[in-house]
Each structure stands twice: as C-alpha cells, then as structure tokens.
Amino acid sequence: MSDVTTPQPAADAATSAEAALNARYGTHWNTALPAWNATLDTLLAHRSVRAYANRPLPAGTLETLVAAAQSAATSSNLQTWSVVAVENPARKARLSAFAANQSHVRETPLFLVWLADLSRLERVAARAGAPLEGVHYLETFLVSAIDTALAAQNAVVAAESLGLSTVYIGAIRNRPEEVAAELGLPPRVMPLFGLCVGYEDETKRAAVKPRLPQQVVLHREQYDAASQQQGIGGYDDVFAAFQTSQGLDDAGWVARSLGRWRSRESLHGRDRLRDALNALGFELR
Amino acid sequence: MSDVTTPQPAADAATSAEAALNARYGTHWNTALPAWNATLDTLLAHRSVRAYANRPLPAGTLETLVAAAQSAATSSNLQTWSVVAVENPARKARLSAFAANQSHVRETPLFLVWLADLSRLERVAARAGAPLEGVHYLETFLVSAIDTALAAQNAVVAAESLGLSTVYIGAIRNRPEEVAAELGLPPRVMPLFGLCVGYEDETKRAAVKPRLPQQVVLHREQYDAASQQQGIGGYDDVFAAFQTSQGLDDAGWVARSLGRWRSRESLHGRDRLRDALNALGFELR
C-alpha cells in the first residue's frame, strides 16, 4: 500500500494505483487508468479504524476538517447541517453507551456528531417573521441528510490526507433522542451519525476491506439486475477469504448481510427511527 | 487559487491554504493550520460547475470514480447503492426534461445517477430463501441514502483531483418515478440525485462560493444556537457581495434560503416525495 500521509505524487503511480485497486477488490485490476495522483491514493486506501492511539491531533485539525466539509456541495447553498465536536471524556463515555458501547467512541481523541439541522433556517425565518412550511416535508429531511453525508465524507478524506483515521458510528441512531438530549439539540435537529477521528493504534492495524466488483454496482444506461448474480458469487468467496485472513469468522458476504436485515429485531432498535424522528420534531410529511 | 489538477504538493503550502480558505469563507482565515497537502487543496477548491466543454473524458475515468466511490465507508459493508452511467444523448435529454430542464444534464459527457438500492439484497435474499424484513423500515432507506451520498462524494473528489468538474442534480427528485422508469429500475431502488461530470467550459468559469462562518456550523461539546445569529448576519453580506461579483441578483443568503422553503409549492413537486418513495416500493415503516 502507498503511504497516504505523504502528499507527494506516487513515485511509481501505475504500481501504486494497481496495488490499491487490487486490495480494494481482492482481484486483479485490468482496466486502463487515467493519470494517477495522491488524492486517488488517499481515497482508495480508506480503512475504517476502530483502535486509536492516545495521541493528540495537530493544532488546526478540527478547523481544517470543517473547512473541507463546508466545501462540499450543498443543495441550494442551504447548508442544513451542523457538527458537534466532542472531546470531553465523560461525554464520549455517555455517547458510547448510547452507541452499542463501542469502545472506540470513548478512546478517540475527537468524536464528531454530524447533525441534519433544519433548526437554523427555522430560527432565521422566525427572526424574519417569514413562513418556512417546506421544513416539514420528508424531502427536506432527505436534503439535509444527504448534505450532511457529503460534508462528513469530505471531512473523512481531509482527515485521511493528514494521516489520521476515521470510522463512522451509525449506532448513535439506536438511541437518537438520548444523543440529542446529551448534545442539547433543539427541535428539528437529528444526530445522523458519529465519526471517530484519531491516529490509528499501529499495533491493531486494520486492512483495506474488499468491495463488490464494479459489474455489480455500475450500470450502463439502464439498471441491469441479471448480470449481478455472478459477481456477487465471486465476491462472497473473496470476502470470506478476507475475513479469514483477518482472524475473523469466515461467514461470506451474503450470510452476513442477510443476517443484518433479517428481522425487525436485527435493526437493534432502529426499527423505531420514524418515531424517533417525529419525537425530534420532524413531521416527514 | 492553486491548480487542483496538479498532484504535486503546493509550492508554497501556507499561501495556497490561506488563499483557499479566504475564498471559501469570503473572510480572512486566522486559525493555525496543520501540514497542508494537495488533497486539501482539491477539497477546498470545489466549485459546482454548470457549463461543460465538449471534450471526452480520459479512458478509465468512470472506473476510477466508481473505485473511489466504493472505497467510501458503507454501513455493515452492505453496499446498498448502485450507479447508472448515462452517456446516450437522447437519454440525457429525457433525464434533463425530468430535472427542471437543466441544460448541463444534456451537455455533460457523463451523467451519473446515484441510486439508493435495496433491491440487490432483496434478490440475494430471494435466492437464498431468506427473510429480509428490515428492508421495509425508514432506517434502512436512510442507511442506503447516506451510503449513496458518501460514495458519490468520493467520486466527486476523485473527479476534481483529475481536473474534472461536477454538479449534483437534486432535481431528479422532482419526478422520481419517471427517472426510475427511464433507467429500468426495479422496485426498492430510488434515484437519489444525479451528477454531471466533465471538463469545465473555461469561458464560463464558476467561482468558489463562500460558506457560513465556522462558528455557525461547528459546535463544541453541545449545540449552541445563540452564537449563530451574528455569524449569519455577517455571512448575509458576504454572500450578497459574492452574488454581485458574479453578475447575479444581490439577494442575501437569508432571503434566498427562506424563499427556497417558504411554502409547499416552493419545493417544486418534491412535497410528494413520500408518495413517490411509496410508489417505488419503499414502505418507510
């Protein structure tokens, strides 16, 4: 793998690109590539990291991540998201308890909670004495959630370009009202997901996880369901081999994925997300 | 502005970083920064581009963008998204008609439609004779929408690192059932947004749009509503001046944003998104 912390262009770009792509798919890449660069190296080398070193972040890291996040596109420039930066150990511990007790939420030096935030425009409208009926629709929540995700992903790329690691924490949606209360959120602000940011514990280094082959996710002109089955079969083997190589249980991707959404109970409380959103003030008309 | 197509580290990193941040906020940046790099330059220099040159993309561009997209994090590795690459002029014209007739949807060499895709796992479950009750919940749609957005944003960063430009097209949600029919989507696949990818028409160059100051979107430990008002007031002036500099109408951010969500009618048909999702097979329990 290339060293993602190095901002120089790869010394041997073709080799670094193919190595990164081979790791990303667990198969040999055999498609022509455009001129390669260090940003592509950073993107391809992503790993979700769940073990962090006890090491502070450089000055200005948070502000740089937020500047990257704010540089992402945002629908009609509405900027309907906010982020809470949590560094207080007691608060991280409480948030961890709300998120399936994941230890990395406690151990990360910086825990970012990304918020779909319709309340800011509401306050602006209230000061102006203006109506804001649009805020009550499902579309409006969806715009806010998408824009929050675009922003957060830019922050992830920025962090990884700086040699930091990250992992998203969707489990804060297990108990969204309690997370909202902990962070003092006003109505119509939804804690969408968390993000750990820190230096990886190099003694517990995570590997690049292989993904589905491109033929399964990329379609030309129209959606093609028929051609996906073969690719999924091959991937199931690639994924099981990857799991074994990491000392994890060797269930394939199909068995693991079906287990995740088998039943209402397998959603770990998130089957009540619609109720939770209503309680947080989102009508979702 | 730094040249985002150059993979080398910035010759004068401090200068390039500050110039990029000053443009992004329309104010003078005065916070210490970590060691800078070319990826941060690319992220900060984002501009949504709505005028494209008639110039083909280098070989392997699409596959590289998809590899970057697939490298983004995905909840439980479920990979619940797909993308349709549209290059056929007649199809681009029809999709443009569904998306408020935006001319760049026709003119872009590559139009990507990003799909929240629960149908793939459903087909896997059907072949395995396994239940997949989780697929019917709002949480599951939200997971899929978030993961689609994370993936698409990685594709945007990859494209911009290659000297290409992009713009998201949320307006395909004005008429999602017609977009779904055009692309042959099976049930439980939602066309979430489009993305134009191409070389910018240099005769109509877009500028970096200033965003809200960090004090408005970034909170420490808990959400702070009170401190946002001052930042919004200053931003309203920055934004109006930016609009004027671009030869656009000089309405401030507050007036523009309130207009966008004033009423049900101002959502341009997206007030019926919930019905559209139901029609596409999403129960959203």
Side-chain angles (χ1 to χ4, degrees):
Chain A
M1 295 305 303
S2 63
D3 179 353
V4 300
T5 67
T6 305
Q8 286 82 23
D12 184 340
T15 306
S16 98
E18 287 180 10
L21 288 157
N22 292 346
R24 179 54 66 199
Y25 291 104
T27 55
H28 182 68
W29 181 265
N30 57 10
T31 303
L33 293 171
W36 209 251
N37 60 57
T39 299
L40 296 171
D41 277 334
T42 293
L43 291 166
L44 267 288
H46 167 75
R47 301 165 294 113
S48 289
V49 164
R50 296 177 177 83
Y52 290 92
N54 182 12
R55 181 178 163 195
L57 305 182
T61 297
L62 173 61
E63 292 82 357
T64 299
L65 303 191
V66 172
Q70 290 191 266
S71 299
T74 159
S75 183
S76 302
N77 197 37
L78 292 171
Q79 309 179 61
T80 52
W81 60 269
S82 293
V83 61
V84 181
V86 178
E87 298 177 281
N88 179 290
R91 182 166 285 113
K92 285 188 288 185
R94 290 192 294 272
L95 291 170
S96 170
F98 298 146
N101 285 312
Q102 293 179 66
S103 58
H104 34 285
V105 175
R106 296 188 297 274
E107 290 163 6
T108 183
L110 176 62
F111 187 61
L112 299 177
V113 185
W114 296 87
L115 309 172
D117 184 353
L118 303 183
S119 80
R120 181 160 52 235
L121 268 186
E122 265 196 317
R123 286 189 299 277
V124 168
R127 280 196 295 273
L132 201 70
E133 190 187 346
V135 84
H136 301 299
Y137 287 83
L138 176 61
E139 158 70 11
T140 317
F141 170 69
L142 185 60
V143 161
S144 181
I146 291 170
D147 282 3
T148 306
L150 302 181
Q153 185 59 20
N154 260 18
V156 163
V157 176
E160 294 181 352
S161 83
L162 291 167
L164 299 166
S165 293
T166 63
V167 63
Y168 284 104
I169 306 296
I172 67 165
R173 291 197 306 280
N174 293 2
R175 293 163 74 176
E177 295 103 319
E178 285 154 291
V179 172
E182 174 64 42
L183 301 179
L185 305 185
R188 283 166 290 286
V189 182
M190 159 74 178
L192 201 60
F193 46 72
L195 184 75
C196 300
V197 181
Y199 288 100
E200 182 170 23
D201 179 346
E202 295 287 347
T203 68
K204 301 174 183 172
R205 193 172 160 82
V208 167
K209 188 174 286 185
R211 300 286 196 229
L212 287 163
Q214 291 208 347
Q215 74 198 79
V216 176
V217 302
L218 171 60
H219 307 260
R220 305 282 185 148
E221 300 298 332
Q222 287 201 307
Y223 191 92
D224 180 2
S227 74
Q228 295 184 33
Q229 187 169 352
Q230 184 184 355
I232 290 171
Y235 177 64
D236 213 42
D237 298 336
V238 165
F239 187 79
F242 170 80
Q243 292 285 103
T244 303
S245 77
Q246 301 300 303
L248 302 169
D249 86 87
D250 64 351
W253 180 73
V254 167
R256 284 176 60 92
S257 299
L258 296 183
R260 188 70 191 79
W261 283 356
R262 176 188 303 118
S263 64
R264 178 174 184 164
E265 290 69 30
S266 67
L267 297 184
H268 301 304
R270 292 186 228 170
D271 54 291
R272 58 172 298 283
L273 182 74
R274 187 163 161 165
D275 291 342
L277 277 165
N278 290 158
L280 292 172
F282 294 88
E283 288 188 31
L284 309 177
R285 284 183 201 164
Chain B
M1 295 303 304
S2 63
D3 179 354
V4 301
T5 67
T6 305
Q8 285 82 23
D12 184 339
T15 306
S16 99
E18 287 179 12
L21 288 157
N22 291 346
R24 179 54 66 199
Y25 291 104
T27 55
H28 182 68
W29 182 266
N30 57 10
T31 303
L33 293 171
W36 208 250
N37 61 57
T39 299
L40 296 172
D41 277 334
T42 294
L43 291 166
L44 267 287
H46 167 76
R47 300 165 295 113
S48 290
V49 164
R50 296 177 176 85
Y52 291 92
N54 182 11
R55 181 178 163 194
L57 305 182
T61 297
L62 173 60
E63 293 82 356
T64 299
L65 302 191
V66 172
Q70 291 192 265
S71 298
T74 159
S75 183
S76 303
N77 197 36
L78 292 171
Q79 306 178 63
T80 52
W81 60 269
S82 293
V83 61
V84 181
V86 178
E87 299 176 280
N88 179 291
R91 182 165 285 112
K92 284 187 289 185
R94 290 192 295 271
L95 291 170
S96 170
F98 297 147
N101 285 312
Q102 293 179 64
S103 59
H104 34 285
V105 175
R106 294 189 299 274
E107 290 162 6
T108 182
L110 175 63
F111 187 62
L112 299 177
V113 184
W114 296 87
L115 309 172
D117 184 354
L118 303 182
S119 80
R120 181 159 53 235
L121 268 186
E122 265 196 316
R123 286 189 299 277
V124 167
R127 282 196 294 274
L132 201 69
E133 190 187 347
V135 85
H136 301 299
Y137 287 83
L138 176 61
E139 158 70 11
T140 317
F141 170 69
L142 185 60
V143 161
S144 180
I146 291 170
D147 282 3
T148 306
L150 301 181
Q153 186 58 21
N154 260 17
V156 164
V157 176
E160 294 181 351
S161 83
L162 290 166
L164 299 166
S165 292
T166 63
V167 62
Y168 284 105
I169 306 295
I172 67 166
R173 291 197 305 279
N174 292 2
R175 293 163 72 177
E177 296 104 318
E178 285 154 291
V179 173
E182 174 64 43
L183 301 179
L185 305 185
R188 282 164 291 285
V189 182
M190 160 74 177
L192 201 61
F193 46 74
L195 184 75
C196 300
V197 181
Y199 289 100
E200 182 171 24
D201 178 346
E202 295 288 347
T203 67
K204 301 174 183 170
R205 192 171 161 83
V208 167
K209 187 174 285 184
R211 300 286 195 227
L212 287 162
Q214 291 209 347
Q215 75 198 77
V216 176
V217 302
L218 170 60
H219 308 260
R220 306 282 186 149
E221 299 300 331
Q222 288 200 308
Y223 191 92
D224 180 1
S227 74
Q228 294 184 34
Q229 186 169 354
Q230 184 186 356
I232 290 171
Y235 177 65
D236 213 41
D237 298 335
V238 165
F239 187 79
F242 170 80
Q243 292 286 102
T244 303
S245 77
Q246 301 300 303
L248 303 169
D249 85 87
D250 64 351
W253 180 75
V254 167
R256 285 176 58 92
S257 299
L258 296 183
R260 188 70 191 80
W261 284 356
R262 176 189 303 118
S263 64
R264 178 174 184 165
E265 290 68 30
S266 67
L267 298 184
H268 300 306
R270 293 187 227 168
D271 54 291
R272 58 172 296 282
L273 182 75
R274 186 163 162 165
D275 291 342
L277 277 164
N278 291 157
L280 293 171
F282 294 88
E283 288 188 30
L284 308 177
R285 283 181 202 164

